[in-house]
Amino acid sequence: MAEIIIWLELVISKIPLPILEVWGRFAFLLGSMVAIFAFTGFTFRNGKQFRISREVWTWNLKSFYFFLITFVSIFISGYLGSSIVLIPGAQTLESLKDLSVFLCLNFFGYPALLAVPFAYGLSDLIEGVPPDFLWDWLPGYFINPSLFWISYQMIGKSPNFSKPRVWVYYLIFVFLFLILEPFLWGFLCSKQFGPEISYHTISSALIFTTGITWILAPLVTFLLFPFAKRIGYFWADIPFQVKEVSITEPRLVWNSAFKNIDPKDPMSEDRTGISLQLFIVAPFVCLVLILVGITSYVTLKNAEQSAYQMVEILHKQWSKNIRLQLFDLETNVENINSDPSILRQVLDASIVNTQGRVFLFDHNLSLISSLSNEPKSSRLLETLRVELRKQSSDMQFLETRLSFSVVTKKPLSRENWNAYVSRYDVSKTKETIYLVTLFPYSFYLNGVYTGNSESAMVFAWAILLSLVLAVLLAELVTRPILRFSSASKSLAKGDWDFPVGESMIAELRGLSDAFRFMSQELKSSFERVSESQRMVMETNTNLEKIVNDRTVALMESNRNLLDTIETKERILLDLHNTQNQLLLSEKLAALGQFAAGITHELNTPLGAIASSVRAMSEILKKDISNLPNFLVTLNKDQLDDFQALLMLSLSFGDRSSGLMSRAEKKERLAMLRDKNVEYPDEVLDHLTSIGVTHLDSKIFGIIQKPGVHLILQNVVTLGSLYRLVYVVQSATEKASHVVNALKHYLYTDQSVSDSNSQKVNIPTELDSILTLYQAKIKKDVEIIKNYFTSDSCLADRDKLNQVWINLINNALQAMDYKGKIKISVTTESEFILTSIKDSGKGIDPEIQDKVFLPFFTTKKHGEGIGLGLDICKQIVEKMNGKIDFISGPSGTEFRVYIPKV
């Protein structure tokens, strides 16, 4: 076996060390990611496919047993493996511990994964690993079982090595493990042993050890897997013990002990809570683990501190003794450095322990003398010299303390040394000698480590006994409760005499008595209910005859009722037709009221259009025909002036001619005369016509030129044409607005039936209706519009417009067409509120409750028949809305609520 390890070291040493360091760091990062997935409950299985999902475990007492068995098996196998030596001084049978991890993970699942890090740490502590190493290796204790977790993902549902498929997955797992785990530990150990030793020696040893594990694992699994299934301790065969759930949607993918699960079925079985047994056991176990950890830590630290204080005293006494002997030697010898053998005898005589070392150095750190059994050149001496050079500044003091490590490859070891440096000045030669005494940590910490290992063993047994005690306690408390559960189920099935047993716990015994009393009471109640049921059945027999007789009479009444309903339906249909005729009558009446106003609104823009067209014709006949001849006579400067004045006229275009007061006109006329402008009166009129009322330097530069009055005359002609065109355009838009409003009002969407609703924008409809009423409201009526919403309502547009016409017409009549009408549209909850408020004299309080009654009116004869508000109310209520009003001496406000979209 030693030859195998030597061959492995030789092969790995061929790989450049930087590549191994990079690969070790990569293995650490990849292992950390796998550990996060493993310990957070994710799985790469998703039913029969490899996709990411989650494992949901049922945490009961059996889950705790899985944890306990894993902990014990790793603890025992680690202890046994460390006592079986494969290669003396180099390798023990650590494969047993890894084999236990592999078996427990594949047999017990996630609870075993949680137990592995704690069991690993306790096992290494028992084997004598220094506690400082445990802290440095802590990430490895979580990453290492996570790499075993890969096998659990691949073959964990059926680790049956009689199937070829399992062998394929197993070999893939072994390959991944061997290229990751040894170099991961090489990275973790590089801090203690250095990169070369860690990656070449430690990684090779781990490949050898885990290689033995993977040779034994298939055989041991093949033998133990049927036994685990037979006793019911294989996680995948326990019903509802674990289920796999998709992370993208709440559906069940796989459930333990159920091979045929439809992935589309919702999770119908929810048994993921913590059982009562585990609820009792878990706090107890956690408390024991915390107390054991704190006790071991405090004990170890106190022991180390005491040992360190002891070695400090020993250093000082030893150094003091040697300095005294050197002083005595200096009095008898001319030069103490002349004969090293004398110094060696002094050092040999001063030795206090065989593990101690002492060296004398000169000021250049050259060795003067040491113990007679210490070789002249050793790794310890070289390492000490390097550390002293690092501490050269501190060596100027009389006393200096330092610690360092000496790492050896063959055999692999890391020995820590505690050194005490004192300075001795030779009085005769004025030389400085450095006296260094050394003790290995093992000298004063061996007992601590041995005691710590024994304490760890005691703690392990204490933890195991605590776990057993917790299980017994859980059984003692929960067994009667489980019997109560079984008795309750039997009681529900009608078994009144199911035994609930007794318990030594007083509270549970009282609960048993109460349960038996409840069972007897339920039995008596059930007997009384049975007797009552018998009497009810007899009564039902008598009632059946009565019910049959009443059924015949009821059928006859139903026939009469159907005839009555048909008659009422015909009456309702006639009423509906009558209502539609009345609605049409109201609409026609409203159209008649503002038909004359619409005619006036159209005549005004048409007259403006006709007048403007006549003026444009006159200009075209008289002036435009001379324009080309005039333009031909202009030179380039005059043409530029013409164009500049024309642009001023066009920019003024859509406004009326500029107006000036008499004083302003007189002042500007004087300015023109002072500038010697030709025809000043004509030029000023032309400038005013094209909108130039402010005379700046640019204008004066143009009008001072000869013949400018002719240019201004033609510019005025063209500007007049532009303004007349704008008048025609404005009049056309006004007429079009009136026609569109009338068209919008009269238009009815034929594709929407009477029973259906559509999206209606109330402000748009109100603006169209107000346009139609323009003739009546533009003189003495002020319309105030406040539209605070752009939401649409759900209504019949044509019928809703009839409501606005009736309300606006009533408001105008209530004010005698003089006053203010305030129209506001807002959103209130699920409705659009439309308010129409007039400034009339209001409605008398005596008749306010009658305004919505049909044929009730306060208007004069011929102005209305009293159906307007009644029709408005029916229309609004049919649209699932409501209408009300507020009236007072200052006016009346009608409010209409229509559901919004």
Side-chain angles (χ1 to χ4, degrees):
M1 292 187 180
E3 290 78 5
I4 297 176
I5 292 183
I6 294 173
W7 178 79
L8 287 173
E9 288 185 10
L10 181 62
V11 171
I12 295 178
S13 64
K14 299 295 183 182
I15 304 174
L17 186 59
I19 295 179
L20 293 176
E21 290 180 329
V22 171
W23 183 254
R25 188 174 296 276
F26 171 76
F28 175 77
L29 295 176
L30 182 60
S32 300
M33 294 176 61
V34 175
I36 292 173
F37 270 92
F39 283 94
T40 52
F42 284 91
T43 176
F44 291 103
R45 298 184 303 259
N46 190 305
K48 296 182 179 180
Q49 301 175 345
F50 281 92
R51 291 186 300 176
I52 297 178
S53 57
R54 286 190 65 251
E55 282 188 351
V56 181
W57 274 79
T58 300
W59 292 100
N60 49 26
L61 199 57
K62 183 161 288 189
S63 302
F64 178 74
Y65 288 155
F66 290 162
F67 182 93
L68 177 62
I69 294 172
T70 303
F71 192 92
V72 173
S73 63
I74 294 175
F75 166 67
I76 294 176
S77 61
Y79 182 77
L80 293 177
S82 64
S83 62
I84 301 174
V85 179
L86 296 178
I87 301 174
Q91 195 66 53
T92 59
L93 191 60
E94 287 288 322
S95 304
L96 287 179
K97 185 161 60 175
D98 292 338
L99 183 59
S100 297
V101 174
F102 176 82
L103 294 174
C104 291
L105 264 178
N106 284 281
F107 290 171
F108 304 146
Y110 186 71
L113 179 69
L114 297 179
V116 172
F118 305 101
Y120 260 142
L122 185 60
S123 176
D124 285 348
L125 201 61
I126 293 174
E127 294 171 21
V129 176
D132 293 339
F133 282 21
L134 294 182
W135 286 112
D136 294 335
W137 294 349
L138 185 61
Y141 289 141
F142 287 92
I143 297 175
N144 198 59
S146 301
L147 298 179
F148 284 90
W149 175 78
I150 298 176
S151 71
Y152 167 69
Q153 296 299 308
M154 290 184 171
I155 64 174
K157 284 186 177 178
S158 180
N160 187 358
F161 280 91
S162 62
K163 299 179 180 179
R165 180 180 60 85
V166 175
W167 278 99
V168 174
Y169 286 137
Y170 176 74
L171 293 176
I172 294 174
F173 155 70
V174 170
F175 173 76
L176 293 174
F177 190 93
L178 289 178
I179 66 174
L180 291 175
E181 197 262 357
F183 304 101
L184 160 71
W185 281 103
F187 170 76
L188 292 175
C189 294
S190 60
K191 181 179 179 181
Q192 290 85 11
F193 299 100
E196 183 176 358
I197 294 177
S198 298
Y199 286 107
H200 289 166
T201 303
I202 295 178
S203 296
S204 302
L206 287 174
I207 293 175
F208 173 75
T209 303
T210 54
I212 297 175
T213 302
W214 305 132
I215 293 173
L216 296 176
L219 176 61
V220 178
T221 305
F222 182 79
L223 296 175
L224 295 182
F225 179 59
F227 176 72
K229 289 174 66 70
R230 189 180 306 115
I231 65 175
Y233 270 55
F234 177 55
W235 68 275
D237 286 348
I238 303 175
F240 303 110
Q241 183 66 39
V242 61
K243 54 190 174 185
E244 293 174 6
V245 182
S246 173
I247 62 175
T248 57
E249 54 186 358
R251 63 184 180 87
L252 181 64
V253 178
W254 180 86
N255 204 335
S256 58
F258 290 89
K259 297 182 179 179
N260 298 318
I261 293 289
D262 186 1
K264 297 181 180 179
D265 290 343
M267 293 182 296
S268 58
E269 184 68 25
D270 187 9
R271 300 179 59 183
T272 59
I274 299 177
S275 68
L276 178 62
Q277 294 168 324
L278 190 61
F279 186 78
I280 296 174
V281 168
F284 183 80
V285 172
C286 292
L287 180 61
V288 171
L289 290 175
I290 292 172
L291 291 178
V292 167
I294 294 175
T295 303
S296 61
Y297 180 79
V298 172
T299 302
L300 178 62
K301 285 299 180 183
N302 290 337
E304 287 183 352
Q305 187 67 25
S306 299
Y308 185 76
Q309 292 174 358
M310 178 198 72
V311 80
E312 286 291 315
I313 296 172
L314 190 58
H315 268 304
K316 291 181 179 180
Q317 293 299 326
W318 192 10
S319 297
K320 182 179 180 181
N321 184 29
I322 294 174
R323 287 198 303 271
L324 290 174
Q325 294 185 40
L326 290 176
F327 180 76
D328 293 340
L329 183 63
E330 186 181 356
T331 59
N332 300 324
V333 179
E334 183 68 22
N335 186 0
I336 63 175
N337 295 335
S338 60
D339 190 358
S341 61
I342 298 176
L343 292 175
R344 189 177 299 113
Q345 291 175 2
V346 171
L347 298 180
D348 289 342
S350 67
I351 189 70
V352 296
N353 186 272
T354 57
Q355 298 188 39
R357 298 288 187 273
V358 60
F359 297 96
L360 292 176
F361 295 97
D362 61 12
H363 65 281
N364 293 323
L365 296 182
S366 297
L367 181 64
I368 299 174
S369 181
S370 64
L371 294 175
S372 58
N373 60 352
E374 184 70 26
K376 296 297 182 181
S377 177
S378 65
R379 193 173 185 86
L380 172 62
L381 180 58
E382 296 301 323
T383 306
L384 174 59
R385 188 176 279 115
V386 171
E387 293 296 328
L388 289 175
R389 288 193 176 95
K390 292 180 181 178
Q391 303 289 334
S392 58
S393 60
D394 295 336
M395 289 173 61
Q396 303 303 320
F397 299 101
L398 292 177
E399 297 177 350
T400 304
R401 298 173 181 83
L402 60 91
S403 299
F404 60 92
S405 300
V406 178
V407 179
T408 60
K409 183 176 181 181
K410 298 294 184 178
L412 178 63
S413 67
R414 182 175 183 265
E415 185 69 57
N416 294 322
W417 290 82
N418 189 306
Y420 185 84
V421 184
S422 60
R423 194 180 67 185
Y424 180 78
D425 296 324
V426 182
S427 59
K428 292 181 179 181
T429 61
K430 305 301 182 180
E431 295 179 355
T432 299
I433 296 176
Y434 294 106
L435 171 65
V436 183
T437 57
L438 299 98
F439 284 106
Y441 278 25
S442 58
F443 165 65
Y444 60 94
L445 289 182
N446 263 346
V448 175
Y449 289 154
T450 302
N452 184 62
S453 179
E454 294 174 354
S455 299
M457 179 67 74
V458 174
F459 292 152
W461 285 110
I463 292 172
L464 292 179
L465 293 177
S466 299
L467 296 178
V468 173
L469 180 60
V471 172
L472 294 177
L473 178 63
E475 288 288 337
L476 180 65
V477 175
T478 60
R479 185 63 62 184
I481 297 177
L482 293 176
R483 285 200 300 267
F484 290 147
S485 176
S486 301
S488 300
K489 294 178 181 178
S490 300
L491 193 65
K493 296 178 181 178
D495 185 3
W496 309 104
D497 299 321
F498 187 89
V500 294
E502 295 291 341
S503 175
M504 61 183 297
I505 302 175
E507 289 78 3
L508 294 178
R509 187 167 58 250
L511 183 60
S512 300
D513 296 338
F515 188 87
R516 282 191 290 269
F517 176 76
M518 180 188 68
S519 176
Q520 295 300 323
E521 289 296 319
L522 287 175
K523 182 178 180 180
S524 302
S525 300
F526 183 78
E527 291 175 353
R528 290 193 296 270
V529 169
S530 299
E531 179 65 21
S532 300
Q533 287 180 345
R534 187 185 61 79
M535 296 177 61
V536 168
M537 291 179 65
E538 293 178 356
T539 305
N540 286 341
T541 303
N542 297 328
L543 288 175
E544 285 180 359
K545 184 176 182 301
I546 300 174
V547 169
N548 290 333
D549 297 339
R550 294 295 178 91
T551 302
V552 174
L554 183 60
M555 292 176 64
E556 182 64 26
S557 300
N558 285 340
R559 284 194 293 271
N560 297 333
L561 182 60
L562 289 174
D563 294 339
T564 303
I565 291 174
E566 290 178 358
T567 302
K568 289 185 176 181
E569 287 179 350
R570 288 194 297 270
I571 295 173
L572 288 175
L573 182 60
D574 294 341
L575 287 174
H576 180 69
N577 294 333
T578 303
Q579 180 183 355
N580 289 338
Q581 292 176 2
L582 290 172
L583 181 62
L584 180 61
S585 174
E586 286 286 328
K587 187 172 182 178
L588 292 175
L591 282 173
Q593 292 178 6
F594 54 73
I598 293 174
T599 302
H600 176 75
E601 290 294 322
L602 290 175
N603 283 337
T604 300
L606 290 177
I609 292 171
S611 175
S612 299
V613 168
R614 284 195 297 270
M616 290 168 63
S617 299
E618 292 295 328
I619 292 173
L620 291 173
K621 288 179 182 179
K622 294 180 180 180
D623 301 325
I624 294 299
S625 59
N626 299 323
L627 183 61
N629 296 329
F630 171 73
L631 293 175
V632 171
T633 62
L634 299 178
N635 56 30
K636 185 178 183 306
D637 292 338
Q638 290 176 331
L639 193 59
D640 291 340
D641 295 339
F642 176 80
Q643 188 174 2
L645 293 172
L646 182 61
M647 293 304 295
L648 290 174
S649 176
L650 294 180
S651 64
F652 184 68
D654 56 355
R655 297 171 287 175
S656 59
S657 299
L659 299 177
M660 291 187 296
S661 63
R662 182 177 299 176
E664 289 176 338
K665 186 174 182 181
K666 184 177 180 180
E667 178 185 355
R668 283 167 176 71
L669 190 59
M671 292 173 63
L672 294 178
R673 288 172 178 167
D674 291 341
K675 297 291 185 178
N676 297 320
V677 176
E678 296 180 351
Y679 307 103
D681 295 332
E682 185 178 350
V683 168
L684 182 61
D685 291 339
H686 290 333
L687 289 174
T688 305
S689 298
I690 65 175
V692 178
T693 58
H694 178 67
L695 303 179
D696 54 11
S697 58
K698 183 178 178 181
I699 297 298
F700 276 117
I702 295 175
I703 63 178
Q704 284 180 331
K705 297 178 182 179
V708 73
H709 67 285
L710 296 176
I711 296 176
L712 281 170
Q713 182 178 359
N714 286 277
V715 168
V716 170
T717 300
L718 293 177
S720 299
L721 281 175
Y722 180 76
R723 284 193 295 276
L724 290 171
V725 168
Y726 176 76
V727 171
V728 172
Q729 180 182 356
S730 300
T732 304
E733 290 176 355
K734 184 175 181 181
S736 176
H737 180 69
V738 175
V739 172
N740 286 336
L742 182 60
K743 178 183 177 182
H744 182 78
Y745 170 71
L746 295 176
Y747 172 73
T748 301
D749 190 355
Q750 299 299 329
S751 63
V752 180
S753 62
D754 291 342
S755 60
N756 293 332
S757 300
Q758 56 188 307
K759 292 172 63 174
V760 177
N761 185 267
I762 293 178
T764 302
E765 304 299 326
L766 288 171
D767 287 341
S768 300
I769 294 170
L770 291 173
T771 300
L772 300 179
Y773 273 98
Q774 190 63 33
K776 294 185 178 182
I777 65 178
K778 68 180 181 179
K779 293 182 179 179
D780 299 322
V781 177
E782 179 184 357
I783 302 295
I784 302 174
K785 296 185 289 185
N786 295 319
Y787 299 154
F788 298 111
T789 181
S790 60
D791 294 336
S792 298
C793 67
L794 195 64
D796 186 325
R797 186 188 63 81
D798 188 51
K799 292 184 178 180
L800 189 60
N801 283 342
Q802 184 64 38
V803 174
W804 309 138
I805 290 175
N806 284 341
L807 295 179
I808 292 173
N809 190 51
N810 287 348
L812 291 171
Q813 292 179 352
M815 301 187 305
D816 291 333
Y817 299 96
K818 295 180 181 180
K820 295 182 180 180
I821 295 179
K822 182 178 180 181
I823 301 176
S824 62
V825 182
T826 58
T827 298
E828 185 174 300
S829 185
E830 299 298 324
F831 295 90
I832 294 179
L833 169 61
T834 304
S835 169
I836 300 177
K837 182 178 181 180
D838 60 61
S839 58
K841 60 183 179 179
I843 303 174
D844 293 337
E846 293 81 7
I847 63 172
Q848 286 185 6
D849 57 344
K850 301 178 182 180
V851 295
F852 289 112
L853 295 177
F855 302 108
F856 176 80
T857 181
T858 59
K859 299 177 183 178
K860 298 178 181 179
H861 181 70
E863 292 184 356
I865 58 176
L867 290 176
L869 290 179
D870 176 57
I871 292 174
C872 290
K873 182 178 181 181
Q874 293 186 38
I875 291 173
V876 171
E877 289 178 350
K878 188 175 181 181
M879 298 175 187
N880 298 319
K882 60 181 179 179
I883 181 173
D884 58 19
F885 68 93
I886 300 174
S887 184
S890 61
T892 303
E893 178 185 5
F894 277 89
R895 300 177 298 184
V896 179
Y897 299 83
I898 304 296
K900 68 178 181 180
V901 177

